[in-house]
């Protein structure tokens, strides 16, 4: 009886090519169609683990953690200065889903300002410290890129405000220390404007530019009660 030999069944060639093209584990530099390049770890054909990417269009570079094709974890992002051809660090810290977030990070603004604190969805949110280019410093709570909650703003002349904030403005109970004049205003602010409060001398003997005459002392049987009543009126008007 003749023996019939059947050809061995083989997968189409493109199946083999596809398997070879799948990236998993540590790989050498891989170039995208648009010229971007990535060197690092992969999982199921996605950037995953430690890796460095360089964008051809801008020259920007990111080095750090990746998760399923997105920046996620701890990493540093820098841009190329077109004049000096040197890299300038823009952000170093935690990332979540390809945005600044998931923890603390430092952002360097082009005008020289700097923020060091918590982020969420690419925006300043949580506790953080902002150094402005005029010398002012704000440290406190943030929400969607604005001071919101409790915080302190210190001005270049040493004066400072400690208290409530809302949408980037002084709002709620707070204290304003006029250290240059040796005075303290304690009261209630609404949208950056003090609506009521008590002004008293504070460290007048050490002030750089004290007022000509000290403030007269006002006899209040219960100054704390006055402010408490004002706070209660403020809370009632905003409920």
């Amino acid at each position: 009886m003749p023996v019939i030999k059947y050809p061995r069944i083989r997968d189409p060639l493109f199946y083999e090519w596809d398997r070879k093209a799948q990236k998993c584990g540590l790989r050498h530099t891989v170039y995208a169609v648009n010229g971007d390049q990535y060197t690092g770890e992969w999982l199921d054909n996605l950037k995953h683990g430690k890796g460095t990417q360089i964008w051809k269009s801008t020259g920007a570079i990111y080095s750090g953690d990746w998760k399923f094709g997105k920046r996620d974890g701890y990493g540093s992002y820098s841009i190329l200065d077109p004049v000096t051809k040197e890299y300038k660090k823009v952000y170093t810290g935690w990332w979540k889903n390809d945005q600044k977030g998931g923890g603390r990070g430092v952002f360097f603004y082009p005008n020289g300002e700097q923020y060091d604190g918590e982020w969420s969805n690419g925006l300043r949110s949580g506790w953080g410290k902002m150094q402005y280019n005029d010398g002012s410093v704000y440290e406190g709570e943030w929400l969607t890129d604005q001071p919101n909650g409790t915080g302190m703003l210190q001005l270049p002349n040493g004066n400072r405000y400690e208290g409530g904030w809302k949408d980037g403005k002084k709002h709620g109970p707070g204290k304003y220390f006029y250290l240059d004049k040796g005075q303290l205003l304690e009261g209630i602010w609404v949208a950056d404007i003090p609506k009521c409060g008590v002004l008293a001398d504070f460290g007048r003997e050490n002030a750089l530019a004290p007022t000509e005459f000290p403030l007269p002392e006002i006899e209040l049987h219960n100054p704390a009660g006055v402010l408490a009543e004002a706070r209660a009126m403020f809370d009632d008007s905003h409920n």
Side-chain angles (χ1 to χ4, degrees):
M1 182 176 180
V3 178
I4 301 175
K5 294 185 178 181
Y6 294 95
R8 187 173 56 181
I9 299 176
R10 298 184 60 182
D11 292 334
L13 286 176
F14 68 85
Y15 281 7
E16 184 178 352
W17 297 337
D18 184 64
R19 281 194 296 268
K20 289 182 178 180
Q22 292 294 316
K23 295 175 282 294
C24 192
L26 181 63
R27 294 287 296 268
H28 295 297
T29 303
V30 174
Y31 293 86
V33 176
N34 61 3
D36 295 347
Q37 52 182 293
Y38 172 81
T39 305
E41 296 177 299
W42 297 78
L43 179 64
D44 295 334
N45 218 30
L46 293 172
K47 302 163 193 160
H48 191 92
K50 301 288 185 182
T52 299
Q53 167 136 344
I54 301 176
W55 286 265
K56 184 178 180 180
S57 60
T58 61
I61 182 172
Y62 169 82
S63 183
D65 295 325
W66 296 78
K67 188 175 181 180
F68 301 120
K70 295 182 178 181
R71 290 168 290 185
D72 200 299
Y74 192 86
S76 180
Y77 178 80
S78 303
I79 60 174
L80 186 64
D81 189 305
V83 178
T84 64
K85 302 301 180 182
E86 295 180 351
Y87 277 100
K88 289 185 176 181
K89 191 171 291 184
V90 175
Y91 175 78
T92 297
W94 290 94
W95 298 74
K96 187 73 174 177
N97 197 28
D98 224 29
Q99 293 184 321
K100 298 181 288 291
R104 181 178 173 182
V106 182
F107 189 89
F108 303 90
Y109 293 84
N111 61 0
E113 296 179 344
Q114 178 179 321
Y115 172 80
D116 183 352
E118 296 175 300
W119 297 79
S120 178
N121 296 323
L123 301 176
R124 293 167 290 185
S125 292
W127 190 269
K129 180 179 181 180
M130 182 74 187
Q131 298 179 0
Y132 298 95
N133 55 16
D134 66 352
S136 301
V137 177
Y138 171 83
E139 184 170 6
E141 294 178 294
W142 295 76
L143 182 65
T144 58
D145 238 22
Q146 296 282 1
N148 203 99
T150 302
M152 180 191 74
L153 174 67
Q154 183 163 340
L155 302 177
N157 62 3
N159 293 348
R160 73 178 187 271
Y161 168 82
E162 300 176 3
W165 295 79
K166 184 179 180 182
D167 299 329
K169 296 181 179 180
K170 306 176 196 69
H171 197 85
K175 298 179 181 180
Y176 201 110
F177 295 83
Y178 297 92
L179 298 184
D180 57 339
K181 299 183 180 299
Q183 294 178 337
L184 166 64
L185 173 62
E186 183 176 1
I188 304 292
W189 272 256
V190 176
D192 255 356
I193 300 174
K195 292 295 184 178
C196 64
V198 177
L199 183 66
D201 284 332
F202 178 85
R204 179 183 174 82
E205 63 279 0
N206 297 320
L208 296 176
T211 54
E212 185 177 356
F213 302 104
L215 290 172
E217 293 187 6
I218 300 176
E219 300 241 349
L220 290 176
H221 295 293
N222 186 10
V226 173
L227 287 176
E229 184 178 350
R231 291 190 184 98
M233 293 175 61
F234 172 83
D235 291 338
D236 290 340
S237 65
H238 287 76
N239 286 335

